[in-house]
């Protein structure tokens, strides 16, 4: 880990913290929520040992990267713009991209907006969902899961203050170590009702890992990350011109069997029944990992390392 270098780069009007290691073809690693560049620690060391340059930024609003105050500064265009500007600043024309969770969503958008910058894509946990012109995302979520669904709850300005009332380590542990694929619900009085059992560190996560994540989220809070969720409908409006667009670059998709995203209504049928392949024409492989939860690249690092390397080494 001490060989990983850290730099700050001015991109798209903000200062972005970037961790990187290695030399060779570049692999851009895009994290999710509630994560940081650190989620890719295992992949960075592995890829650099295989002759790749692993690049993992803290996304806008996370960790040591600046966090603009307005939620309207967190659209897909802003986040993709940050990444394109990062590639420009590093002098990189085309890169391999690996995304997880929100990082997967952003990587799908990057594939739509700037496929010319991507050699091949490995995405995890969140499948590409084509824009439905007849229903806004939040209307669908409220109708399907109710107002207590975590994404619906995150829409409330000030909800980050409710999160801040809860011990950060226990809060993060409740996310990271969750094995139940049911959609998370957060009642109105979340801080007073939050009572998970004492966490036990699984074999794939150390106290040092939890300490690092918790220290960063204690310092920054959750306003920046929540702003990604607050842009669901705004992204839907802004991306009307891409309705019906297909993703044609080479793609490998990996998801855990116990991942909530895999258990969403209709998702398994979509992924395996031809709908996913129809929208992502370049989809070459779908991998469902048994007995694995949402934070797949941390829970099964060696398997994920091999999946990434086996795919990108073909190009």
């Amino acid at each position: 880990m001490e060989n990983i270098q850290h730099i700050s780069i001015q991109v798209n009007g903000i200062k972005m913290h970037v961790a990187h290691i290695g030399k060779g073809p570049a692999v851009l690693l895009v994290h999710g929520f509630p994560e940081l560049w650190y989620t890719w620690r295992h992949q960075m060391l592995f890829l650099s040992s295989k002759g790749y340059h692993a690049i993992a930024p803290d996304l806008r609003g996370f960790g040591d990267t600046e966090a603009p105050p307005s939620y309207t500064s967190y659209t897909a265009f802003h986040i993709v713009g940050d990444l394109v500007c990062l590639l420009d600043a590093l002098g990189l024309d085309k890169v391999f991209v690996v995304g997880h969770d929100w990082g997967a969503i952003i990587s799908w958008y990057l594939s739509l907006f700037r496929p010319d910058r991507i050699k091949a894509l490995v995405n995890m946990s969140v499948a590409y969902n084509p824009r439905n012109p007849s229903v806004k995302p939040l209307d669908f979520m409220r109708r399907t899961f109710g107002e207590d669904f975590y994404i619906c709850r995150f829409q409330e300005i000030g909800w980050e203050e409710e999160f801040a009332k809860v011990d950060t380590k226990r809060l993060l542990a409740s996310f990271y170590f969750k094995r139940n694929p049911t959609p998370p619900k957060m009642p109105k009085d979340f801080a007073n009702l939050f009572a998970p059992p004492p966490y036990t560190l699984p074999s794939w996560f150390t106290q040092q890992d939890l300490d690092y994540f918790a220290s960063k989220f204690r310092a920054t809070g959750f306003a920046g990350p929540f702003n990604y969720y607050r842009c669901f409908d705004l992204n839907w409006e802004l991306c009307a011109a891409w309705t019906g667009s297909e993703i044609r670059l080479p793609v490998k998709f990996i998801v855990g069997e116990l991942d909530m995203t895999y258990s969403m209504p209709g998702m398994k049928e979509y992924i395996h029944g031809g709908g996913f392949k129809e929208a992502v024409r370049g989809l070459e492989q779908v991998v469902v990992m048994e007995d694995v939860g949402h934070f797949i690249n941390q829970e099964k690092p060696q398997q994920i390392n091999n999946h990434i390397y086996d795919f990108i080494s073909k190009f």
Side-chain angles (χ1 to χ4, degrees), residues 95-98 118-122 249-251 311-312 315:
V95 298
F96 296 107
V97 177
V98 179
I118 304 176
K119 294 178 181 177
L121 170 65
V122 179
L249 53 86
V251 174
F311 190 62
I312 67 175
F315 302 96

Side-chain angles (χ1 to χ4, degrees), residues 45-291:
L45 298 177
F46 175 82
L47 289 169
S48 63
S49 75
K50 292 292 185 179
Y52 290 89
H53 181 195
I55 304 163
D58 282 338
L59 294 181
R60 171 182 295 234
F62 285 85
D64 294 320
T65 293
E66 285 190 277
S70 171
Y71 84 91
T72 58
S73 295
Y74 291 81
T75 70
F77 290 99
H78 288 87
I79 313 304
V80 169
D82 293 345
L83 295 179
V84 171
C85 288
L86 171 61
L87 299 185
D88 290 344
L90 296 175
L92 298 170
D93 180 34
K94 297 185 76 164
V95 298
F96 296 107
V97 177
V98 179
H100 172 256
D101 185 74
W102 257 106
I105 297 175
I106 295 303
S107 297
W108 293 127
Y109 279 122
L110 178 61
S111 303
L112 281 177
F113 301 161
R114 294 302 304 270
D116 59 303
R117 306 304 295 266
I118 304 176
K119 294 178 181 177
L121 170 65
V122 179
N123 251 354
M124 289 173 250
S125 295
V126 182
Y128 175 63
N129 282 303
R131 182 182 183 276
N132 183 344
S134 62
V135 59
K136 290 185 175 183
L138 291 174
D139 288 343
F140 171 80
M141 292 179 201
R142 290 190 174 103
R143 190 169 64 237
T144 306
F145 303 110
E147 285 290 346
D148 283 352
F149 183 50
Y150 76 109
I151 292 175
C152 300
R153 193 60 73 196
F154 288 176
Q155 303 306 308
E156 300 176 21
I157 302 300
W159 187 253
E160 51 269 32
E161 295 167 13
E162 189 75 7
F163 252 48
K165 297 175 185 176
V166 176
D167 178 75
T168 307
K169 283 187 185 179
R170 292 182 70 207
L171 183 65
L172 293 175
S174 72
F175 277 97
Y176 297 154
F177 311 147
K178 183 177 186 288
R179 306 292 291 170
N180 185 341
T182 55
K185 299 292 184 79
M186 294 185 175
K188 191 76 174 172
D189 195 16
F190 172 73
N192 288 328
L193 297 174
F194 180 76
Y199 65 83
T200 301
L201 288 170
S203 59
W204 49 271
F205 208 88
T206 70
Q207 188 63 53
Q208 182 182 359
D209 297 336
L210 188 58
D211 289 346
Y212 183 84
F213 282 115
S215 69
K216 294 300 180 182
F217 280 105
R218 272 198 214 99
T220 63
F222 289 90
F226 285 1
N227 284 336
Y228 285 67
Y229 295 91
R230 291 165 182 160
C231 283
F232 264 113
D233 280 356
L234 183 53
N235 286 332
W236 179 85
E237 293 174 16
L238 292 171
C239 291
W242 282 268
T243 303
S245 295
E246 299 168 349
I247 294 174
R248 294 186 171 273
L249 53 86
V251 174
K252 181 175 188 173
F253 180 71
I254 311 170
V255 67
E257 178 190 30
L258 301 178
D259 195 326
M260 171 202 75
T261 62
Y262 187 56
S263 298
M264 291 284 193
M267 186 54 66
K268 292 176 184 176
E269 294 78 6
Y270 169 70
I271 289 175
H272 301 293
F276 190 22
K277 176 65 174 176
E278 211 171 288
V280 183
R281 293 291 182 179
L283 183 65
E284 296 190 10
Q285 191 178 2
V286 172
V287 178
V288 180
M289 296 181 66
E290 293 183 5
D291 195 34

